[in-house]
Structures are given as structure tokens and as C-alpha cells.
Amino acid sequence: RFPIIHRMRFGICTSVEHAAAVKAAGWDYAEENVQRRLQGTVGDEEWNGTLAVASSELPVPAANSLVPASVPIVGPTVSMEQLTTYMTRVLTRANKCNIRTLVFGSAGARNVPDGFDRDEARRQILDFLRMATPIAQANGVTLVAEPLNKRECNIINSVAEAMEYVKAVNHPNFQCLVDSYHFWREDEPLTHLEAAMPWIRHVHLADKVGRVAPGLSGQSDYRPFFAVLKRGGYNGLISFEGKPMENFPQTAVKVLEYVKQNWNEA
């Protein structure tokens, strides 16, 4: 009878060691780093990530930096056996830590080496995703493709390109992310985001200039970007990912106010 009012959740990409300060500034969660916390390159006997996450002052619903450059997804030295072992560890540990979203940016692992066939690179990425998604599903985790601007990576550089992979894999546990910084750096039109909205499951924010926290450059208006998310019914997580804030407590409060104001005005 009455519509459910969903309160947006805003977080910061940082370690759980900083969660108390993030919480004090009014934010809702911390987004961790897979390499720091889930450590897929080490065996179970060496891994102790559950302790840190369990003692966090804030929930840790997501983590980024899925695959390190030392475990290549693309190129002549790819080992599907190595990737399978790695992803099984990461996804099992994410489940143990109740981390439900993992961000597939991983520029170093997915970058196409000079002279390497790009069609083969695409096939390798699809092979990786088709291997990983059933393991993700078994652990209650969703993988999200993160488009990265061309200065950081040379493949999957736009929401439109990421959606080609999402549709090719066609699995509920592989969806799409939009990052305002990369989106703006690539001058991608909002129509691409509108078309992808049914698959957008995670959002990263940073100003286009300097990748600073929202509002700090004074040169990024989030309202048109947020308006597309709102029209598309987005009710997932929204994380700041960028350069660490100086004068953290005061700045983090102001940034959150700015983000919420832009969201409300969109």
C-alpha cells in the first residue's frame, strides 16, 4: 500500500582499519581491496582476512582490485588453472566475510600486451568470466565489470564495451559498474548509462579533475549522472574511489553532504 523508501548507502573505498573514522563522518560502509583482504595468491593457512572484516566498525559489502597483474587474464602466459585456483579462493573468502560485490577492474591483469591479438584477448576475458561466474554464484557473490579509461587500461574502456561482455556471459552473477571518473574521462554519453541501467549493480564516484572526492575540484556536476541512476531505479551501493581526502574527518563530512545534496537534486 505504501511505497518502500530505500535509503541510498554511500561508502568509501578504504581499509577496515579506517572504518571507525569513516563511520564517524557519517558514511555507511567501507569498500575493501581484494588484494589486501582476500589475498587469492596465498593459501588458506596464511589467510586471516575474516578477523579484520569481522571486527570492522562498518559493514564491508564490496571489494575492488579483483585480480593482480601477477595472475594474467590476457596474453600469452594465461593459465586457466591458476585463475581458477585464485578465483575459488577469493570468492570463497568473500562469502566467509559476507562481501557480496567484487569489482573487476584489474587493469594489470586484463591489459592487452603490445602486438597481442585483440580478438583472442576478448575470448580470454570471456573464458575467465565464464569460469568465475558459477563459482561466484555458489558463494552468493556478484562480479561487476568496471570500465577503465584508456590511460589506465586498453580494453573495456566504456560502459558500452563492458555491456558487450555482460551480455555475452549472460549470467546473473556478472553485472556492470559505472565509475563517474572513468565515464567522464572517456567522454561517454549518458545514453550509454541509460541503456545499461538494468545491469548496473555498483557505482564508484570521483571528480573528473584529479580523481579527488566529489565536489573537491569544483568542476564536476553529479546531478545529470545521478538523474540517470535514479530514473533507472538504482538502489545499490555508491562508493567514493579516488585520492585520499586531506583533513579527513571534516572533509569526509562535507563530501558526503555534497553527494547527498546532488543525489537529492538530481
Side-chain angles (χ1 to χ4, degrees):
R1 185 179 302 172
F2 301 104
I4 295 170
I5 305 300
H6 184 99
R7 188 180 75 81
M8 294 304 299
R9 286 188 294 159
F10 300 99
I12 296 179
C13 296
T14 188
S15 71
V16 293
E17 283 78 12
H18 299 144
V22 173
K23 182 180 182 180
W27 296 74
D28 299 307
Y29 65 90
E31 178 172 328
E32 257 290 359
N33 180 295
V34 171
Q35 304 314 308
R36 177 172 54 226
R37 210 50 75 190
L38 302 180
Q39 299 173 312
T41 56
V42 307
D44 289 341
E45 65 285 347
E46 297 174 65
W47 179 70
N48 59 3
T50 41
L51 295 172
V53 174
S55 62
S56 173
E57 290 277 328
L58 280 174
V60 185
N64 54 57
S65 303
L66 182 62
V67 185
S70 61
V71 185
I73 295 166
V74 169
T77 61
V78 170
S79 162
M80 192 53 72
E81 184 181 4
Q82 181 189 31
L83 282 167
T84 303
T85 299
Y86 176 86
M87 288 303 294
T88 301
R89 283 176 179 160
V90 163
L91 289 161
T92 303
R93 293 169 187 177
N95 189 11
K96 286 178 181 171
C97 293
N98 205 27
I99 297 172
R100 296 297 157 208
T101 302
L102 295 183
V103 175
F104 174 42
S106 311
R110 81 183 193 209
N111 214 48
V112 185
D114 288 345
F116 192 78
D117 184 75
R118 288 190 70 84
D119 288 335
E120 178 61 21
R122 291 186 192 97
R123 278 193 292 274
Q124 288 178 325
I125 292 172
L126 287 171
D127 286 347
F128 164 72
L129 292 167
R130 287 171 177 141
M131 170 275 291
T133 44
I135 307 169
Q137 186 173 40
N139 284 286
V141 175
T142 299
L143 303 174
V144 289
E146 179 175 34
L148 300 170
N149 76 78
K150 291 188 185 77
R151 296 159 195 81
E152 293 186 23
C153 189
N154 62 10
I155 196 164
I156 314 182
N157 303 119
S158 65
V159 170
E161 188 182 355
M163 283 304 305
E164 294 173 11
Y165 290 85
V166 172
K167 289 180 177 179
V169 174
N170 190 27
H171 193 287
N173 292 74
F174 179 55
Q175 303 288 313
C176 195
L177 172 152
V178 62
D179 182 312
S180 64
Y181 171 74
H182 297 294
F183 190 83
W184 289 330
R185 287 304 299 253
E186 288 299 306
D187 294 318
E188 199 171 0
L190 286 169
T191 50
H192 287 184
L193 180 55
E194 285 172 353
M197 278 312 302
W199 296 270
I200 297 292
R201 291 291 180 276
H202 198 53
V203 175
H204 281 169
L205 301 180
D207 280 6
K208 179 180 178 180
V209 178
R211 205 172 188 178
V212 294
L216 294 188
S217 75
Q219 297 183 57
S220 294
D221 181 359
Y222 289 80
R223 288 170 297 183
F225 182 82
F226 283 166
V228 175
L229 294 176
K230 287 172 88 167
R231 281 199 304 273
Y234 185 74
N235 63 0
L237 305 171
I238 298 182
S239 309
F240 159 58
E241 183 192 34
K243 289 185 180 168
M245 300 178 213
E246 295 176 12
N247 304 316
F248 183 83
Q250 302 90 335
T251 307
V253 170
K254 285 181 192 164
V255 168
L256 182 58
E257 286 174 358
Y258 176 83
V259 170
K260 286 181 174 179
Q261 180 182 348
N262 272 250
W263 180 263
N264 292 334
E265 291 177 2

